[in-house]
Amino acid sequence: MGTLGDRIGRRWLLMIGAAVFGVAGATLMPSTLSLISDMFRDPTAADPLRRLRWILARPDSATPTDDEHDQQHQHARLAEG
């Protein structure tokens, strides 16, 4: 690499090396992560898409329905009067 650095310039060689390293890292990272997740797969874990469908399909339990809201106000009126 010393001779190549002398021919094209050390700074230029450093910039080319950094660019090649960035591209190589960007192409290696997804495959590395998929290999690791495949090797350490939890057999008891649920399918993530099935879980997402379940979360999206269920009604929002944090917001009371109109019937529940009416019942709460009815109990409050009975307690007052």
Side-chain angles (χ1 to χ4, degrees), residues 8-63:
I8 65 170
R10 289 180 180 85
R11 183 177 297 166
W12 185 246
L13 185 62
L14 176 67
M15 298 302 279
I16 291 172
V20 168
F21 181 76
V23 170
T27 57
L28 286 176
M29 187 58 74
S31 59
T32 304
L33 290 175
S34 67
L35 280 172
I36 290 172
S37 65
D38 193 45
M39 288 183 342
F40 298 105
R41 184 173 304 272
D42 184 9
T44 61
D47 179 25
L49 289 177
R50 185 178 59 163
R51 180 167 169 75
L52 179 64
R53 277 188 238 114
W54 177 80
I55 289 171
L56 294 176
R58 69 183 187 137
D60 188 15
S61 59
T63 307

